[in-house]
Amino acid sequence: MTPMPDQEHKPAAPREEVLTKERTKLARPPMYRVVILNDDYTPMEFVVWVLTVVFYKPQAEATRLMLDVHNKGRGVCGVFTHDVARTKALAVETLAKKHEHPLKAVLEACGAD
Ligand code: TYC
């Protein structure tokens, strides 16, 4: 019998390996404020109603926000992802148009003041 080559009796040299740590990074989506604007014609009760049905604000908070907008000119109804913010602003203006009020809602990117 042929003797085994000497090499084969030596312990195998450790293999080199590169271990890559995998990390899933989840970026936060860009967020948008829905801002309602004051005007001279939309009735206060209508604004309060819109804030309760579109933004699910409790009556007292909706009234406070409406008065703040009335006094300061604008107010933030909430902060949402782009799709949600756009849908809510559109809901505000669709309801306003349906009732023939000029109430406006605009989107404002968070982080860009
Ligand atoms: N200024 C309006 C009024 O006196 C009320 C109002 C409040 C209108 C807030 C719009 O976003 C608004 N009837």
Side-chain angles (χ1 to χ4, degrees):
M1 253 227 270
T2 341
M4 294 272 268
D6 206 32
Q7 254 181 322
E8 294 193 20
H9 293 285
K10 284 186 201 154
R15 285 171 182 270
E16 259 181 51
E17 279 180 62
V18 178
L19 297 179
T20 346
K21 231 183 189 177
E22 223 172 81
R23 192 184 275 186
T24 311
K25 217 169 182 188
L26 294 176
R28 290 178 197 283
M31 302 298 279
Y32 295 81
R33 291 185 276 267
V34 176
V35 176
I36 56 164
L37 308 176
N38 186 36
D39 65 71
D40 292 337
Y41 307 101
T42 306
M44 290 185 171
E45 319 78 66
F46 180 81
V47 179
V48 172
W49 175 72
V50 163
L51 293 173
T52 65
V53 298
V54 177
F55 299 96
Y56 306 108
K57 302 273 187 207
Q59 192 77 13
E61 196 188 326
T63 305
R64 225 177 300 127
L65 178 55
M66 180 281 297
L67 285 173
D68 212 46
V69 177
H70 175 72
N71 291 318
K72 297 180 183 162
R74 63 200 301 283
V76 178
C77 303
V79 175
F80 310 95
T81 55
H82 191 261
D83 263 20
V84 176
R86 208 174 29 129
T87 304
K88 287 190 183 286
L90 191 66
V92 169
E93 294 200 356
T94 304
L95 287 171
K97 220 175 240 171
K98 191 171 155 194
H99 292 84
E100 302 184 303
H101 299 312
L103 180 62
K104 292 288 167 215
V106 296
L107 260 57
E108 207 178 80
C110 292
D113 269 32

